[in-house]
Amino acid sequence: MNNDQLKADNAQYLWHPMAHPGAMKKSTPDIIAKGEGCWIWDVDGHKMLDGVGGLWACNLGHSNKPVRDAIVAQMDELPFYNVFRGTTHVRAIELSKRLVQMMEPEGVATVMFSTGGSDAVEGALKVARQYWKLKGQADRFKFISLRQGYHGVHFGGMSVNGNTNFRRAYEPLLPGCFHVDTPWAYHNPYTDDPIRLGEICAEMLEREIVFQGPDTVAAFIAEPVQGAGGVIVPPPNYWPLVRQICDKYGVLLIADEVVTGFGRSGEMFGTRLWGVNADMWCLAKGISSGYIPLGATAINRRIAEVFDADTTGAASVSHGYTYSAHPIAAAAALATLDQIEALDIPGHAARVGEHLQTRLRKLVDTCAFVGDVRGVGLMLGIEMVSDKAKRTPMTRTSDIPARVAKAAYKAGLMVRISGPNLILSPPLIITREQVDLMCDVLEGAFAAVQEGRA
Ligand SMILES: Cc1ncc(COP(=O)(O)O)c(C=O)c1O
């Protein structure tokens, strides 16, 4: 099939997530045809560094052989079986044991598998409600979350999402979901002192819990570092304070680690970045290097013990998907975890990530429309502004973010634009030389747009 036909077929037959179908018909998305290591090629043969990592997912790059071999071997051994009540399979057992052992410092006791990040979140929210029912506190059904947070697209996750753009078309959503301010250094009306900001935002959470009635709040859910919201890194005191507040009122703490899990932040898990344990962790993406859909909700002892102790039947988990713990996904995950540990992926992400952050932070000084560059490890956001002094983010009507992305694409780097933010989340195996190449391309792209050459 020729490329023009592919583009026409895409426009005619395919609805894209998070996109207007009409816009996708007018302007064909980039069609990616091949991947190898940190490189991708589009259907026209144009070669680029993958600054997106698939979608925060292909942490081992696009051609990891051990993961590929594990998938092929599993296809030959057992392509599919379910883990509902009456059956299980070897790879699911191995993977659950492996994850629990990996998360031993976190006090994780058990794992519930699913097929992606939204599923992992939905599982955590449902387990939180069921936990409180089992404890005889059925009034504890409310969830509190952060503005700008992203927790996927199921009704529960959407209800705790902190971006109204993702919610409005599907409202009314789940009752009992409330949002408090994110400790966002660049955009907040309170203070320029990050530590004070951490305290203020933690106090807001506490006030909301008290206002709702602590005995009505099931859980607080947040990302250790907000990803899709624009790579927002909280101050170091925020999560420890959140943990204290949750403990004070008995509220469960759910860490949505769909992006941060398995090394992206420079730590194996984002909660380790803050020295805090959650009660549940939502995992996906990097767990299988994105090669096959897989999600997991890791559950700590406090929760698991309550389910184990039930003798009434009420602890039966009425939740699960046909493809929960799909054997091929579990095999891919086992091989991925081997690679993550053997290659010290979190340590590598921390080291090359620091270089990436240091180089690109200079854009704030050199580019008239870059307001903020923020991130940690190999997750980085560049916020474009229409007024630097007032920190006014560029609106959707500005063509500048798209022009920067296009210039980068032409020069050999795939990036992602989300609102006013350019987001980078390359494979975690990226080398320092490739990071330099990525920075060279981006500096050139911003300069070209600023000078009207692109
Ligand atoms: C923090 C977070 N939670 C949940 C999700 C949803 O994951 P999925 O798209 O695999 O359903 C995402 C997706 O990007 C995410 O970033």
Side-chain angles (χ1 to χ4, degrees), residues 55-56 116-119 121 150-153 223 228 256 258-259 284-285:
L55 191 57
W56 317 85
S118 301
D119 292 351
V121 169
Y150 182 69
H151 302 289
V153 292
E223 299 150 88
D256 184 345
V258 168
V259 159
K285 294 195 190 265

Side-chain angles (χ1 to χ4, degrees), residues 191-211:
T191 177
D192 284 333
D193 174 2
I195 297 301
R196 183 66 201 121
L197 182 64
E199 289 165 359
I200 291 171
C201 290
E203 282 160 16
M204 284 183 185
L205 170 63
E206 178 162 17
R207 277 209 301 279
E208 189 65 26
I209 292 172
V210 171
F211 174 74

Side-chain angles (χ1 to χ4, degrees), residues 69-354:
D69 289 349
I71 290 169
V72 173
Q74 189 59 43
M75 280 298 279
D76 291 339
E77 188 179 316
L78 178 73
F80 177 65
Y81 220 82
N82 78 78
V83 293
F84 278 49
R85 220 175 11 245
T87 54
T88 184
H89 59 76
V90 179
R91 292 296 97 74
I93 299 167
E94 289 171 349
L95 182 59
S96 58
K97 183 174 177 184
R98 179 74 183 269
L99 282 168
V100 169
Q101 284 174 343
M102 241 180 123
M103 300 186 81
E104 167 76 51
E106 274 75 23
V108 165
T110 190
V111 182
M112 181 169 74
F113 290 112
S114 52
T115 62
S118 301
D119 292 351
V121 169
E122 215 64 9
L125 297 176
K126 286 170 83 172
V127 166
R129 282 200 171 168
Q130 192 171 5
Y131 167 81
W132 288 115
K133 289 205 165 78
L134 290 170
K135 296 263 290 177
Q137 299 185 47
D139 278 353
R140 278 204 191 247
F141 67 88
K142 295 176 186 170
F143 298 115
I144 302 178
S145 56
L146 291 180
R147 300 213 163 91
Q148 286 82 39
Y150 182 69
H151 302 289
V153 292
H154 294 341
F155 266 100
M158 231 179 353
S159 305
V160 293
N161 274 352
N163 181 337
T164 46
N165 287 341
F166 296 132
R167 297 151 47 106
R168 184 162 300 175
Y170 310 101
E171 288 173 333
L173 301 177
L174 209 62
C177 296
F178 303 91
H179 298 81
V180 291
D181 276 13
T182 293
W184 189 354
Y186 189 62
H187 289 294
N188 79 81
Y190 311 112
T191 177
D192 284 333
D193 174 2
I195 297 301
R196 183 66 201 121
L197 182 64
E199 289 165 359
I200 291 171
C201 290
E203 282 160 16
M204 284 183 185
L205 170 63
E206 178 162 17
R207 277 209 301 279
E208 189 65 26
I209 292 172
V210 171
F211 174 74
Q212 294 296 334
D215 59 344
T216 70
V217 181
F220 173 66
I221 178 167
E223 299 150 88
V225 177
Q226 288 188 332
V231 189
I232 304 170
V233 187
N237 60 338
Y238 181 68
W239 272 74
L241 287 170
V242 164
R243 180 72 265 184
Q244 278 174 28
I245 292 163
C246 287
D247 287 344
K248 186 168 167 191
Y249 299 102
V251 171
L252 295 176
L253 176 55
I254 303 171
D256 184 345
E257 297 251 16
V258 168
V259 159
T260 48
F262 305 106
R264 181 150 301 278
S265 73
E267 284 282 352
M268 188 65 87
F269 300 102
T271 43
R272 288 189 190 171
L273 205 57
W274 308 128
V276 161
N277 274 347
D279 296 299
M280 281 187 271
W281 287 255
C282 310
L283 306 166
K285 294 195 190 265
I287 193 172
S288 56
S289 201
Y291 288 17
I292 308 267
L294 180 68
T297 307
I299 296 164
N300 77 354
R301 264 180 226 109
R302 165 187 175 184
I303 298 173
E305 279 166 6
V306 170
F307 278 70
D308 286 346
D310 171 68
T311 51
T312 68
S316 173
V317 179
S318 301
H319 180 74
Y321 308 87
T322 299
Y323 300 124
S324 292
H326 195 292
I328 296 171
L334 282 161
T336 298
L337 299 183
D338 283 345
Q339 292 281 290
I340 289 174
E341 287 180 347
L343 303 173
D344 181 23
I345 288 291
H348 179 74
R351 286 186 293 276
V352 293
E354 198 178 327

